[in-house]
Amino acid sequence: MDSTLISRFADIVGPENVVSHKTNLSVYDCDGYTLEKSLPEVVVLPHSTEQVAAIVKLLHKEKVSFVPRGAGTGLSGGCLPIDAPVMIGTSRMNKILHIDVRNRYVVAQAGVVNLWVSNAVKNAGFQYAPDPSSQQACTIGGNVAENSGGPHTLKYGVTTNHVLGMELVLPDGEIVTIGGMAEDMPGYDLRGITIGAEGTFGIVTQATLRLTRQPQSYRTFLAVYESVHDSTQTVSDIIAAGIVPAAIEMMDNLIIQAVEEAFHFGFPTDAGAVLIIELDGLAAGLDPQTTRIMELCKRNRAREVRVARDEAERTALWKSRKRAFGAVGRLAPNYCTQDGVVPRTKVPDILRTITSVAEKYQLRIANVFHAGDGNIHPILLYDERNADETERVVKAGQEILKACVDLGGSLTGEHGIGIEKMGQMPLIFSPEDLLLMSRIRSVFNPDSRCNPNKIIPMPHGCIDVRMPRRQVPL
């Protein structure tokens, strides 16, 4: 990297916000997807939209490619610098700029941590609904890039359902506003197409987030089963009964053992599976649904159904679920988590496939996932010191994802394509589809200098993933 360019970055953001020493750069060589690593030549950490725009204008003039990065909690290598020497980190753009409870929105910079938004408005009785399990660390900009979800996606939807508008710095440095403070802006839905673009359209510097009322009351169940099949059948029956809980999460025996050992909640370690089911809403309407859900659990041979006695027990239950991946390290030295989606009614089918794949490749595969919306996260356990086992994990993971597609699902539910799954995009999209996507990207990013070599497989940009990845909370 030309030292003159680095000096010009320092002129824009201050020398304390420019990282160019190789040792200090090493923390930016990957995100939660640690299989592939690539060191940027310089990291620039702006504090404002104007600074981002000035940096990007300079890069545009010098024809230098760059990648945006949030908290680095992504799982698909979306912020990995491939043929892009400059990384622009938004972690220091961490201010909540405006709170308007009356009109139910918050304006937050891209580096604001997801959980901070709900904490800022909880005393007024509101919340920001998307709640990725990494919500204590992941940031709004990253959530927008990946269209993040979380356990309560089943009722509340994903990020795109809660972002009213955003400020975007285009790859030539122009600052544009997409959407606004009101719902359903006229014209083409540029807001919708930008959310989930994985930072390939520009750098989101702030977003206007829709607030929702905190539910008046909750009913949180722990249903215990002898088999995974009975638990997933319960999920189908609850939805078929016309009940839409706020969340339905499933953990199988391997995960139960790890979580119980880590958090001592009281999970039965001999159970085949448990469901965490949460209803929320007006207290007066929850009792009939509670009765019906308990009936459905029992009809599917649940051996026990507990309802959290108070907020403390509910909090402990969710803490165990959201930190489940931290406990998986107790099961194996390494693990690889896949992120696939199937239609809700196909959850039993994909779980049977996962069992078959585990037997075929002689692997242990644990399951903890968002059962209510069919977003599976099989966790393939292995030891990276065993090359043969590692190779089997890669093949097993690819086979599971192909099965998701064959069942009418998708390659990813909430963690994006990044570099990890580019090579599998043809499982879903034709060459014509992918060409059209690249043309849409070119409208925003005509020179492909903003986050190049992501999402759409290109002859020069496709990366052959040979090894599984470490996982962070889902």
Side-chain angles (χ1 to χ4, degrees):
M1 172 64 65
D2 183 349
S3 60
T4 302
L5 195 56
I6 294 177
S7 296
R8 295 174 72 181
F9 292 149
D11 291 341
I12 296 170
V13 300
E16 70 277 14
N17 297 306
V18 178
V19 182
S20 57
H21 191 281
K22 190 171 182 179
T23 301
N24 296 333
L25 287 171
S26 63
V27 299
Y28 297 98
D29 69 357
C30 67
D31 55 13
Y33 171 73
T34 58
L35 173 60
E36 299 286 348
K37 296 186 178 182
S38 178
L39 208 63
E41 295 182 33
V42 61
V43 176
V44 190
L45 301 168
H47 286 76
S48 68
T49 298
E50 290 71 25
Q51 289 183 349
V52 173
I55 296 163
V56 173
K57 281 182 180 176
L58 175 58
L59 294 171
H60 178 68
K61 181 181 178 182
E62 299 294 332
K63 300 182 178 179
V64 176
S65 297
F66 60 94
V67 294
R69 176 187 167 108
T73 57
L75 298 174
S76 59
C79 67
L80 202 65
I82 307 296
D83 297 329
V86 178
M87 177 177 285
I88 300 175
T90 58
S91 60
R92 295 183 183 176
M93 301 176 65
N94 55 9
K95 293 183 177 60
I96 293 178
L97 301 174
H98 183 63
I99 298 175
D100 187 337
V101 171
R102 190 173 180 184
N103 288 299
R104 301 192 177 189
Y105 70 83
V106 163
V107 180
Q109 286 186 303
V112 168
V113 172
N114 174 294
L115 187 58
W116 295 357
V117 179
S118 286
N119 286 343
V121 297
K122 66 180 181 183
N123 289 337
F126 287 87
Q127 65 179 3
Y128 176 58
D131 65 334
S133 293
S134 59
Q135 69 178 143
Q136 294 187 358
C138 65
T139 54
I140 295 300
N143 291 173
V144 172
E146 303 297 331
N147 195 17
S148 300
H152 291 81
T153 291
L154 177 58
K155 179 175 180 177
Y156 293 100
V158 292
T159 296
T160 193
N161 305 114
H162 300 275
V163 173
L164 298 170
M166 70 198 82
E167 191 174 70
L168 180 71
V169 175
L170 295 173
D172 64 359
E174 181 184 2
I175 302 171
V176 297
T177 299
I178 297 174
M181 294 177 288
E183 304 273 2
D184 297 329
M185 298 290 285
Y188 294 117
D189 186 12
L190 299 180
R191 181 207 61 87
I193 199 171
T194 302
I195 297 171
E198 302 188 30
T200 61
F201 287 3
I203 299 180
V204 172
T205 53
Q206 68 181 51
T208 302
L209 310 174
R210 185 163 63 90
L211 300 177
T212 55
R213 275 282 185 190
Q214 291 176 2
Q216 183 188 77
S217 186
Y218 298 93
R219 298 287 189 278
T220 307
F221 306 75
L222 177 68
V224 181
Y225 296 86
E226 299 294 345
S227 74
V228 169
H229 177 268
D230 287 343
S231 70
T232 55
Q233 188 58 50
T234 302
V235 175
S236 295
D237 288 353
I238 289 172
I239 301 300
I243 300 171
V244 181
I248 308 180
E249 301 287 297
M250 198 213 79
M251 299 192 293
D252 72 5
N253 179 262
L254 277 175
I255 293 294
I256 293 168
Q257 291 183 46
V259 168
E260 181 58 22
E261 185 176 345
F263 302 111
H264 310 293
F265 175 80
F267 291 107
T269 55
D270 63 336
V274 298
L275 290 179
I276 299 172
I277 307 165
E278 183 158 277
L279 295 169
D280 68 11
L282 297 173
L286 296 184
D287 285 343
Q289 291 186 341
T290 296
T291 301
R292 182 66 176 138
I293 284 178
M294 295 190 76
E295 289 174 355
L296 293 171
C297 291
K298 294 293 185 184
R299 191 173 80 185
N300 284 293
R301 295 171 287 282
R303 75 183 196 200
E304 180 185 4
V305 183
R306 302 183 215 164
V307 181
R309 290 165 296 185
D310 50 32
E311 182 59 25
E313 189 167 289
R314 172 179 176 264
T315 300
L317 186 55
W318 278 115
K319 175 184 175 183
S320 301
R321 162 59 188 95
K322 291 197 173 187
R323 297 184 179 181
F325 286 88
V328 171
R330 297 168 180 269
L331 300 176
N334 305 93
Y335 61 96
C336 170
T337 300
Q338 287 296 347
D339 168 36
V341 179
V342 295
R344 189 183 296 121
T345 56
K346 300 295 185 182
V347 168
D349 299 87
I350 192 64
L351 288 175
R352 280 192 289 272
T353 297
I354 292 169
T355 300
S356 174
V357 168
E359 293 172 355
K360 175 181 177 181
Y361 290 99
Q362 300 177 8
L363 295 169
R364 290 192 300 160
I365 302 180
N367 290 284
V368 51
F369 61 91
H370 313 308
D373 50 328
N375 187 188
I376 64 164
H377 295 309
I379 304 170
L380 292 79
L381 307 175
Y382 73 106
D383 185 341
E384 66 181 2
R385 294 166 296 187
N386 184 332
D388 175 66
E389 187 175 55
T390 301
E391 185 177 348
R392 281 184 275 128
V393 165
V394 174
K395 291 179 179 177
Q398 292 171 346
E399 197 163 314
I400 290 170
L401 286 177
K402 184 177 184 305
C404 289
V405 174
D406 290 343
L407 287 168
S410 174
L411 295 170
T412 176
E414 54 184 349
H415 296 298
I417 298 298
I419 62 166
E420 181 196 11
K421 297 176 181 174
M422 278 199 304
Q424 293 172 286
M425 287 287 273
L427 289 175
I428 297 179
F429 299 107
S430 69
E432 291 77 16
D433 295 333
L434 296 171
L435 178 60
L436 181 57
M437 287 185 200
S438 69
R439 288 174 176 167
I440 293 171
R441 181 173 61 187
S442 294
V443 172
F444 293 83
N445 186 12
D447 300 317
S448 295
R449 293 201 187 98
C450 180
N451 209 11
N453 303 310
K454 306 289 163 56
I455 304 177
I456 303 169
M458 304 291 287
H460 65 282
C462 199
I463 291 177
D464 180 19
V465 175
R466 298 179 302 276
M467 303 275 287
R469 56 190 164 90
R470 184 176 63 84
Q471 188 58 281
V472 297
L474 295 165

